[in-house]
Amino acid sequence: MPIKVLPEEVASKIAAGEVIERPASVVKELLENSVDAGARGIKVEMSQGGRRLIRVTDDGEGIRAEEVQLAFERHATSKLEAIEDLPHLTTLGFRGEALTSIAAVSQLTVMTRAKGEEVGTLMRLEGGRILRREPQGATQGTVVTVENLFYNTPARLRFLRSQATEGRHIAELVTCYAMAYPELRFSLLRDGRITFRSEGTGDLYDVLVNAYGLEIAKQMIEMQGNSATQSAIVVRGFVSDPVLHRSSGRHLTVLVNGRWVRDRLLSYAVREAYHGLLPKGRYPVVILTVTLPPEEVDVNVHPAKSEVRFRNSGEVFAAVQRAVRQTLTQRAPVPRTSTTFAWGQAVEGGPGRPVEVGRGSELNRAELALEVQRTAEQPPMLTDRPPRGKLPMLRVLGQLGRTYIIAEGPTGMYLIDQHAAHERVLHEGFQAEIAEARVSSQRLLEPLVLEAGAREGAVLKERLARLREFGFEIEAFGGDSCLVRAVPAILQDIDLTQVILDILDEAFPTDGTPFGEEQLAISLACHGAVKAGQTLSLDQMRELVRQLEETSMPRTCPHGRPTMLHVSAEQLERDFGRR
Ligand code: ADP
Ligand code: MG
């Protein structure tokens, strides 16, 4: 093909792709414009996950009639004049690309009246072309309505996720900006219903309550900020008490100079600060607001402005890690993990009795448990049972570290991971129940009110019918809360609020992966299974091993980890120098 300069229309669509990836990107750009325009109140509306319509209404400065058309030209901005301005930038926007880009891939209507002007302007564009422009009576501020996003770029349209997922991204974004600007009033209307609102009290805690629900907010600890020290880097926000943790890292909100960013470095700093305080694979809930002189941070890294670069990243890393860690060590109670027994019958103290696990004494208790079980009555060899499945017959000897079952087989020693093994057993049983549509659920004596918070509440309500097939009986209960009447029987006696929220995290991820039934079943098995750190009686261990033998894939857990390790008799002989 000969080289040709692309027609403006093609070029602008290509460029738009960098800025506008999905409906949430539109919301982000419009929100940022409203904040830059000095708005006090910002309303976001969406329908069909933002595909059909996105509308952002603000009461900011508005755009002057003679500039409305200009605002939609590429690289037209009121926020920057020379490249020298860039390091001192205090606005969120500066590239002058957003309005052009959004207009290029949608049907857009802007209605605006600038401060000090009598009449407003209405302008309508389609695929970037202006169809109408006329004076219009309007209140001060700006309303941008974006309809049928990507209607002229079918490839992009095909890449969009379900309306629920796209809607969730938007909801997350709005709550993030509400947290970044607690002094502004935000509201979100989803298909006509209000699903989030912040009051603009100026207090981040109030926004937190609205975003996550009171239950979670109560477990958040405010960081004091380090403005007393000489450092120009001020770290504030809220961190979760280590007893509150979630199964995904997406509850870490990072705001740098009022800009919501994704930053690996700062995420890592937070994780490091929690080191040793959270169980493996668990994440805290954190809102981190980092303020530093604009010259210290380069915001011009990516067209979507969702990444930043720090001039002195080591210093920022250290400041964040220090602030989080200090807050945790000074303010948080001593970490204790409380687990509840959820499996089997014969258990000391009876089923359902919570077992408090103190950290320091863990090893001693494990040794003790092993000792007791060794001296217990020797179990009979299981020779009277015919071999089943793909496992050799195993004789349970004891428990190691309250995590592994030690067993003897015909060819040596087996170490079985009690959690992984039980997960496998529950998973296969549960899958069979689902396949035959006979999932047993257990009614709760008293319905549980789940204060899910705006993000989770919305997800939950969308999935009620689906969750019913998995044994949950949940109904919407006004606001963002839900009423849980029954849960799958697999989840016995555990902290249901936490578990349901976790399951939502795992089964309905926001990274674009669609809701997976398989994942939900795995999650349920994982949460229902006996945990590492729980003392099991010999009878319980024997029963677990017997059930494991009956599964079709006894050697791995549903996540793919091994359920057992084998040390052959040969190897033992070799290692002991017997041959
Ligand atoms: P940028 O924000 O990078 O300047 P945009 O394309 O997002 O570029 O917007 C172009 C210009 O339009 C802005 O610089 C601003 O002057 C004006 N503008 C956009 N949205 C609003 C709004 N909601 N209120 C007032 N002015 C706005
Ligand atoms: Mg902008």
Side-chain angles (χ1 to χ4, degrees), residues 33-34 37 58 62-63 71 76-79 93-100 142:
N33 281 347
S34 299
D58 70 50
I63 310 176
T77 178
S78 56
K79 303 170 192 176
F94 57 88
R95 299 177 63 99
E97 283 187 313
L99 290 183
T100 331
T142 305

Side-chain angles (χ1 to χ4, degrees), residues 29 32-33 36 79 93 98 305:
E29 295 297 338
E32 292 192 349
N33 281 347
D36 284 346
K79 303 170 192 176
K305 300 166 285 163

Side-chain angles (χ1 to χ4, degrees), residues 89-112:
L89 201 70
T90 52
T91 50
L92 296 170
F94 57 88
R95 299 177 63 99
E97 283 187 313
L99 290 183
T100 331
S101 299
I102 301 168
V105 291
S106 71
Q107 294 158 343
L108 187 149
T109 310
V110 58
M111 202 160 72
T112 183

Side-chain angles (χ1 to χ4, degrees), residues 15 34 140 269 311 318 328 334 337 373 440 467 480 578:
S34 299
Q140 188 203 310
R311 208 160 66 107
L328 289 173
V334 184
T337 358
Q373 276 149 25
S440 33
L467 287 169
D480 290 313
R578 290 179 166 275

